[in-house]
């Protein structure tokens, strides 16, 4: 079977001299290619971060800073303070500053896709880390180098699989979603919800559907601890019959644990919680018994991002998706990793 993406990539690479390219008898101008990154002694890298108000974001920023420093590169950082419009403006400003390359997590998958196209038009190559853009607007291998990150659909499936076992296949679930429009929020929801309905990425699961696993409410908590707590307080009043919580990240799970305790409930006993990320506070909560399990989603992108950048400089073939493998933490191994995460 012919891999169409590889064919396109190889063709694009062959035309790297910049003359353009013949595709099915049609001339495609060289401008259709991802801008090249010439060999230099040092680079200025634009890093447009989405925010800084949770351990995951801080862990990611530090990882990028440490690796840039180790290589002797300049990292020009911006902070969107969880405001999508600000991140769009931040990318514009990094483009205006003519950074050599942009490496960043797009806060929302549709809203930031035009920014990727703008960078390309300005001759600046882009690597997306941790979140991806909508491929119907901007395509990896064509408009940007690659997406480096986790399989979010699979993270959702793994959370669901654990929860089914922990509740013997019977639960009334509140789902706390991540930032609306963010790639990990969309896909973590898909992976979880579909697994309970008996499918995974369009294929029926061998386990089949779980009709007694009922999602009684699903609302965004914006990936934030305080918002997770407030949303949980409200949802608890409308749904006192809740027996499980699926939070798209640990921060919201920790907020939900606080809300449950304030309401006199016993997280870990009468309400079972599962989440995603694997931050230190979540490992502590697992050891305490309030959180059941967390699927890892590592924020340590510095080494892999800069390695991929070097591969691009060297003209190596880079896949459209550089997949990050995630571990799983529950009471069998949480103590071993306490304090070692972020
Ligand atoms: O899970 C969350 C953060 O984009 C994968 O964003 C990342 C997610 C991560 O705010 O904690």
């Amino acid at each position: 079977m012919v891999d169409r993406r590889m064919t396109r990539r190889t063709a694009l690479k062959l035309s790297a001299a910049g003359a353009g390219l013949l595709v099915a008898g049609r001339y495609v101008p060289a401008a259709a290619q991802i801008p090249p990154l010439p060999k230099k002694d040092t680079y200025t890298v634009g890093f447009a971060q989405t925010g800084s108000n949770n351990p995951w974001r801080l862990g990611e920023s530090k990882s990028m800073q440490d690796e840039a420093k180790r290589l002797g590169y300049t990292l020009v950082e911006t902070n969107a303070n969880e405001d999508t419009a600000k991140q769009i403006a931040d990318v514009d400003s990094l483009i205006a500053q003519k950074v050599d390359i942009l490496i960043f997590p797009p806060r929302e998958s549709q809203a930031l896709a035009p920014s990727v196209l703008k960078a390309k038009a300005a001759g600046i190559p882009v690597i997306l880390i941790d979140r991806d853009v909508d491929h119907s607007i901007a395509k990896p291998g064509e408009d940007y180098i690659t997406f480096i990150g986790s399989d979010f659909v699979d993270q959702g499936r793994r959370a669901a699989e654990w929860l089914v076992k922990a509740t013997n296949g019977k639960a009334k679930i509140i789902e706390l979603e991540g930032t609306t429009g963010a790639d990990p929020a969309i896909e973590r929801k898909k992976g979880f919800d579909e697994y309970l309905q008996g499918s995974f990425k369009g294929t029926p699961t061998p386990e089949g559907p779980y009709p007694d696993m009922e999602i009684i409410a699903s609302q965004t908590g914006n990936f934030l601890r305080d918002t997770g707590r407030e949303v949980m307080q409200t949802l608890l009043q409308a749904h006192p019959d809740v027996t499980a919580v699926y939070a798209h990240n640990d921060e919201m799970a920790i907020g939900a644990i606080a809300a449950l305790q304030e309401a006199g409930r016993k997280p870990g006993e009468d309400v079972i919680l599962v989440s995603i990320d694997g931050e230190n506070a979540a490992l502590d909560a697992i050891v305490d018994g309030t959180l059941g399990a967390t699927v890892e989603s590592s924020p340590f992108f510095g080494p892999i991002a800069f390695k991929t950048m070097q591969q691009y400089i060297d003209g190596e073939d880079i896949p459209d998706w550089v997949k990050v493998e995630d571990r799983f933490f529950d009471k069998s191994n949480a103590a071993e990793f306490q304090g070692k995460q972020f």
Side-chain angles (χ1 to χ4, degrees):
M1 197 180 84
V2 178
D3 183 339
R4 280 201 305 115
R5 290 179 311 187
M6 282 302 287
T7 308
R8 185 189 72 229
R9 252 180 201 285
T10 311
L12 289 174
K13 222 162 85 185
L14 287 173
S15 74
L21 153 86
L22 269 176
V23 176
R26 245 175 10 99
Y27 180 77
V28 178
Q33 300 161 20
I34 304 170
L37 192 54
K39 280 195 168 49
K40 298 203 294 181
D41 288 341
T42 187
Y43 293 90
T44 300
V45 177
F47 173 51
Q49 180 56 288
T50 62
S52 59
N53 52 359
N54 70 63
W56 201 99
R57 292 285 136 205
L58 296 174
E60 180 180 53
S61 295
K62 184 167 186 313
S63 176
M64 289 294 289
Q65 290 155 3
D66 288 352
E67 193 63 8
K69 198 168 164 198
R70 195 182 70 78
L71 294 163
Y73 296 174
T74 305
L75 193 72
V76 185
E77 270 187 87
T78 57
N79 180 354
N81 296 316
E82 296 303 335
D83 176 346
T84 297
K86 172 141 186 350
Q87 195 186 30
I88 294 169
D90 288 345
V91 173
D92 283 347
S93 132
L94 292 168
I95 292 172
Q97 289 173 55
K98 296 189 168 37
V99 293
D100 293 310
I101 183 170
L102 272 163
I103 304 181
F104 75 100
R107 186 170 187 273
E108 288 181 52
S109 73
Q110 291 188 348
L112 267 299
S115 302
V116 171
L117 300 179
K118 270 192 243 173
K120 179 188 181 187
I124 299 173
V126 172
I127 292 176
L128 296 180
I129 54 169
D130 109 48
R131 294 185 188 178
D132 203 355
V133 289
D134 185 329
H135 290 184
S136 69
I137 311 174
K139 290 183 175 45
E142 201 170 308
D143 298 315
Y144 57 104
I145 298 170
T146 187
F147 165 62
I148 308 176
S150 296
D151 184 338
F152 302 125
V153 180
D154 196 46
Q155 290 177 339
R157 181 198 62 79
R158 293 172 79 189
E161 195 177 29
W162 181 88
L163 194 60
V164 167
K165 290 194 184 115
T167 60
N168 295 315
K170 189 171 167 55
K172 289 192 187 301
I173 308 160
I174 288 181
E175 178 170 359
L176 295 174
E177 300 172 19
T179 300
T180 305
D183 177 37
I186 297 164
E187 301 203 334
R188 285 172 183 170
K189 181 173 180 60
K190 192 186 286 171
F192 184 88
D193 294 11
E194 289 185 354
Y195 179 80
L196 297 184
Q197 289 156 18
S199 78
F200 178 64
K201 297 188 180 182
T203 307
T205 59
E207 300 92 315
Y210 292 98
D212 294 332
M213 298 292 289
E214 195 191 336
I215 300 172
I216 54 174
S218 187
Q219 201 172 307
T220 181
N222 207 13
F223 279 135
L224 298 174
R225 187 184 292 210
D226 289 348
T227 316
R229 181 177 180 158
E230 287 156 20
V231 171
M232 191 67 200
Q233 281 166 347
T234 311
L235 290 179
L236 252 180
Q237 286 172 10
H239 305 279
D241 54 338
V242 59
T243 62
V245 172
Y246 165 46
H248 289 188
N249 80 345
D250 291 342
E251 284 292 283
M252 294 190 294
I254 289 165
I257 287 169
L260 286 162
Q261 285 168 336
E262 283 159 20
R265 304 296 296 267
K266 291 194 175 59
E269 289 176 40
D270 61 359
V271 181
I272 307 297
L273 292 97
V274 64
S275 60
I276 297 171
D277 271 358
E279 66 179 40
N280 283 320
L283 299 177
D284 294 346
I286 293 174
V287 171
D288 289 350
T290 50
L291 179 64
T294 182
V295 185
E296 184 179 37
S297 196
S298 172
F300 301 128
F301 283 95
I304 182 79
F306 284 93
K307 182 179 159 216
T308 305
M309 171 183 161
Q310 188 58 51
Q311 287 171 334
Y312 186 67
I313 295 166
D314 294 341
E316 286 176 33
D317 211 353
I318 298 166
D320 288 352
W321 179 13
V322 177
K323 194 166 155 181
V324 174
E325 298 298 334
D326 303 310
R327 295 170 293 182
F328 190 90
F329 304 112
D330 62 10
K331 66 175 183 320
S332 71
N333 63 350
E336 193 186 320
F337 296 97
Q338 264 180 304
K340 296 187 182 134
Q341 291 285 93
F342 50 93

